[in-house]
C-alpha cells in the first residue's frame, strides 16, 4: 500500500508550470479522469503520452513522472471507491469564485477530451442517462459564468460541481461494467 500523500491542485499546477505544459491542473486531472472513465489504456508509456500531451521545453524527470503516476493511482482509486469519494481536482475554497468556476469548466473540457481519447468503445452501449450526462457536460464545457450574488453564485458552483462529480462516476461505472469480464462458471 502506498504511503504517498495525495497529489493536490497546487502541487500539480506547479509541476505543469515548471514543465511549461499548455494545460491547467484541473484540465489535466479532468483528462486523466475522463480517459480512465472511458476505459483508456496507458500501456507502458507515460501519462502525458497517453493523454496526447506533449512535454513543454523541459521533459518530465523521474520525480515528475512519479507524481503523475501517483495522480493516476489516486484518480483510479477514487473513481473505483465504493463510497463515491471521487472529487474533481479543483482549486481550494480560498481561491476566488471566478477562478474556481473557470477551473471547473477546464476540468469538464479535459474530462470530455480524455473520455474521447479512450476510443470509440467509450461511447458504445451507453445508457440514455449517460448520454445525457455527456450532453450536459458539453454544455458546461462551453459555458461562461456571470457572477452577481456571491452566496447564490457559490451555491450554484457547488451544485454544478456535484453534478459533474456524479456524472463522472456514472460514466466510469458504466464503462467499467461494460469492460468487466462475464462472471459465471463453465459447464
Amino acid at each position: 500500500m502506498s504511503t504517498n500523500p495525495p497529489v493536490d491542485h497546487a502541487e500539480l499546477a506547479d509541476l505543469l508550470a515548471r514543465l511549461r505544459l499548455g494545460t491547467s491542473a484541473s484540465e489535466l486531472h479532468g483528462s486523466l479522469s475522463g480517459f480512465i472513465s472511458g476505459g483508456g489504456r496507458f500501456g507502458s508509456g507515460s501519462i502525458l503520452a497517453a493523454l496526447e500531451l506533449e512535454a513543454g521545453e523541459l521533459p518530465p524527470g523521474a520525480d515528475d513522472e512519479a507524481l503523475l503516476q501517483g495522480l493516476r493511482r489516486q484518480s483510479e482509486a477514487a473513481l473505483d471507491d465504493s463510497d463515491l469519494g471521487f472529487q474533481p481536482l479543483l482549486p481550494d475554497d480560498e481561491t476566488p469564485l471566478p477562478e474556481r468556476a473557470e477551473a471547473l469548466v477546464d476540468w469538464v473540457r479535459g474530462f470530455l477530451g480524455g473520455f474521447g481519447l479512450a476510443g470509440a468503445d467509450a461511447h458504445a452501449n451507453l445508457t440514455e442517462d449517460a448520454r445525457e450526462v455527456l450532453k450536459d457536460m458539453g454544455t458546461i464545457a462551453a459555458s461562461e459564468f456571470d457572477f452577481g450574488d456571491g452566496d447564490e453564485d457559490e451555491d450554484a458552483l457547488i451544485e454544478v460541481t456535484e453534478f459533474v462529480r456524479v456524472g463522472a462516476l456514472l460514466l466510469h461505472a458504466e464503462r467499467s461494467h461494460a469492460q468487466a469480464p462475464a462472471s459465471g462458471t463453465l459447464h
Side-chain angles (χ1 to χ4, degrees), residues 8-165:
D8 66 21
H9 188 273
E11 185 178 20
L12 184 57
D14 288 346
L15 170 68
L16 298 176
R18 189 173 64 255
L19 295 178
R20 296 187 178 125
L21 288 173
T23 190
S24 70
S26 295
E27 186 174 15
L28 178 68
H29 184 254
S31 296
L32 179 61
S33 299
F35 189 74
I36 293 166
S37 295
R41 303 282 182 233
F42 291 96
S44 60
S46 76
I47 289 171
L48 297 179
L51 298 177
E52 297 184 9
L53 294 171
E54 293 184 22
E57 296 173 25
L58 300 172
D63 289 344
D64 302 330
E65 289 291 346
L67 186 135
L68 291 169
Q69 288 297 330
L71 180 65
R72 174 185 167 192
R73 285 188 301 275
Q74 172 184 321
S75 299
E76 288 171 334
L79 285 162
D80 286 334
D81 181 11
S82 62
D83 292 333
L84 308 177
F86 172 78
Q87 290 290 330
L89 192 60
L90 301 170
D92 64 33
D93 291 342
E94 302 304 313
T95 304
L97 184 65
E99 290 177 40
R100 288 185 285 138
E102 183 177 328
L104 178 61
V105 169
D106 285 348
W107 192 94
V108 173
R109 285 182 188 141
F111 184 90
L112 293 172
F115 197 80
L117 278 175
D121 288 343
H123 298 278
N125 303 317
L126 289 177
T127 64
E128 186 175 330
D129 286 343
R131 287 191 304 273
E132 187 70 24
V133 165
L134 284 174
K135 180 179 169 259
D136 291 345
M137 283 186 162
T139 300
I140 293 167
S143 296
E144 290 186 30
F145 295 95
D146 289 327
F147 299 99
D149 180 322
D151 290 336
E152 285 182 21
D153 293 340
E154 187 74 39
D155 290 345
L157 183 61
I158 290 168
E159 285 182 31
V160 173
T161 302
E162 182 63 8
F163 171 82
V164 166
R165 183 186 82 80

